[in-house]
Amino acid sequence: MSTPPTDQPLLTAPELPGWDHAVGGKVRELYVPAGTDPAGATEVLMVATDRISAYDHALQPGIPDKGRILTAISLFWFEQLEDLVPNHVLSATDVPAEVTGRALRCRGLDMVPLECVARGYLTGSGLADYRATGSVGGHTLPEGLTEASRLEPAIFTPATKAELGDHDENITVDEARQRLGGDLVEELEHLTLAVYERARSIAAERGILLADTKLEFGHSRTDGSLVLGDEVLTPDSSRFWSAAGYREGRAQPSLDKQFVRDWLTSDTSGWDRAADAPPPALPAEVVEQTRSRYVEAYERLTGQVF
């Protein structure tokens, strides 16, 4: 992938001729064709900014090139997965020049209000749930597991999809069925685990362990079919570990957003996650190292130079 020299990160929603800004998320901006009702738009423009979020806070400053990297990784994975599940991408090239490389024209979807998480290793909130209850997402797991224990087979652990500023909440598969219906949740579980296993195999060939990932699905506004949307298998939505450094029982060096989370909760940052105060600004070295990890993830997964 060729890209212009790094400049100032894109942090706000740009004005784009022919498009109306519809929704601003933590890291993405969504547009619809000018004059279109966002609630019924059959086509949308998804722009990945360089903002980064952690613990439901948008952080400052942004990470240069992050939006381009996430877009490129998502496109790589959509291509790898197209025989498993349809995706929302219409075009990555027919986009406004101002957002080339970080924007996708996509099918309009009515998103399923569920975060579809697949876990192949025990870490993060899954590990916290296991230590508290012995189970994750309604799956009872063997005793004696620890940080970074491999789960075989991988498990589907849904979470509620929170409004902006609120926290996602892990729920059980049975709770998801009660909310959305058994047939839909069964299909979501099947697709999520199929995507995860395909991606885990591809990543392993490149010396990367895919610890877990979060997927989002929606129903097409034209034919009602279930479609893979948003981003897919990026360092924002997944945990990537280097296979060479993997050791069960300890936190793993990562090629993803965990690096930022770890800094925020360290003594160095001085931030109290339980308090109301916003997180501190990211130091220049954290920004630089985060960008480096994202670039490495892209290059190792795709075999391309960013």
Side-chain angles (χ1 to χ4, degrees), residues 148-199:
S149 290
R150 182 180 170 96
L151 303 176
E152 193 62 57
I155 59 175
F156 173 67
T157 64
T160 59
K161 186 170 174 57
E163 296 295 328
L164 186 63
D166 291 333
H167 297 274
D168 295 340
E169 178 186 356
N170 292 343
I171 60 175
T172 67
V173 176
D174 283 343
E175 287 172 327
R177 292 191 182 109
Q178 291 168 15
R179 297 182 186 207
L180 300 177
D183 290 345
L184 175 56
V185 172
E186 182 178 352
E187 186 175 8
L188 291 170
E189 180 174 11
H190 169 74
L191 290 174
T192 299
L193 292 176
V195 166
Y196 175 80
E197 292 297 349
R198 170 73 61 82

Side-chain angles (χ1 to χ4, degrees), residues 5-288:
T6 299
D7 53 10
Q8 293 300 311
L10 176 66
L11 301 178
T12 58
E15 292 187 11
L16 301 175
W19 296 88
D20 291 341
H21 183 243
V23 180
K26 293 176 185 175
V27 300
R28 285 176 179 74
E29 302 291 345
L30 203 65
Y31 297 76
V32 296
T36 302
D37 179 5
T42 57
E43 182 178 342
V44 299
L45 183 73
M46 187 175 71
V47 177
T49 72
D50 294 326
R51 298 192 299 266
I52 189 167
S53 69
Y55 300 119
D56 298 305
H57 290 275
L59 308 177
Q60 296 292 336
I63 308 299
D65 294 319
K66 175 175 173 284
R68 292 187 176 96
I69 296 168
L70 295 192
T71 300
I73 290 178
S74 287
L75 285 170
F76 166 78
W77 285 116
F78 281 133
E79 183 177 349
Q80 304 299 315
L81 302 168
E82 60 186 0
D83 62 316
L84 292 180
V85 57
N87 65 70
H88 67 160
V89 178
L90 295 173
S91 176
T93 55
D94 185 15
V95 300
E98 299 92 330
V99 289
T100 297
R102 63 169 70 249
L104 300 174
R105 290 180 82 132
C106 303
R107 287 191 269 179
L109 306 178
D110 292 316
M111 300 306 294
V112 175
L114 196 72
E115 304 279 7
C116 296
V117 180
R119 300 179 189 273
Y121 291 83
L122 193 59
T123 190
S125 64
L127 178 60
D129 289 348
Y130 170 76
R131 286 173 170 168
T133 67
S135 65
V136 183
H139 303 273
T140 300
L141 299 179
E143 295 182 1
L145 301 183
T146 185
E147 172 69 53
S149 290
R150 182 180 170 96
L151 303 176
E152 193 62 57
I155 59 175
F156 173 67
T157 64
T160 59
K161 186 170 174 57
E163 296 295 328
L164 186 63
D166 291 333
H167 297 274
D168 295 340
E169 178 186 356
N170 292 343
I171 60 175
T172 67
V173 176
D174 283 343
E175 287 172 327
R177 292 191 182 109
Q178 291 168 15
R179 297 182 186 207
L180 300 177
D183 290 345
L184 175 56
V185 172
E186 182 178 352
E187 186 175 8
L188 291 170
E189 180 174 11
H190 169 74
L191 290 174
T192 299
L193 292 176
V195 166
Y196 175 80
E197 292 297 349
R198 170 73 61 82
R200 171 155 71 171
S201 176
I202 292 172
E205 294 171 357
R206 293 148 171 81
I208 292 176
L209 302 181
L210 175 59
D212 55 41
T213 195
K214 176 187 72 176
L215 305 176
E216 296 194 35
F217 295 86
H219 289 102
S220 168
R221 289 174 178 162
T222 56
D223 63 14
S225 60
L226 194 61
V227 175
L228 180 60
D230 197 54
E231 62 181 328
V232 60
L233 293 154
T234 72
D236 268 18
S237 64
S238 314
R239 285 186 175 90
F240 295 118
W241 299 336
S242 178
Y246 171 74
R247 299 290 184 276
E248 185 178 9
R250 64 166 174 80
Q252 310 299 311
S254 68
L255 299 175
D256 54 59
K257 193 166 62 173
Q258 190 60 41
F259 176 74
V260 173
R261 296 190 192 101
D262 290 344
W263 181 82
L264 282 175
T265 55
S266 70
D267 292 339
T268 304
S269 81
W271 181 56
D272 181 1
R273 183 181 171 190
D276 293 333
L282 301 176
E285 61 269 20
V286 172
V287 171
E288 181 181 350

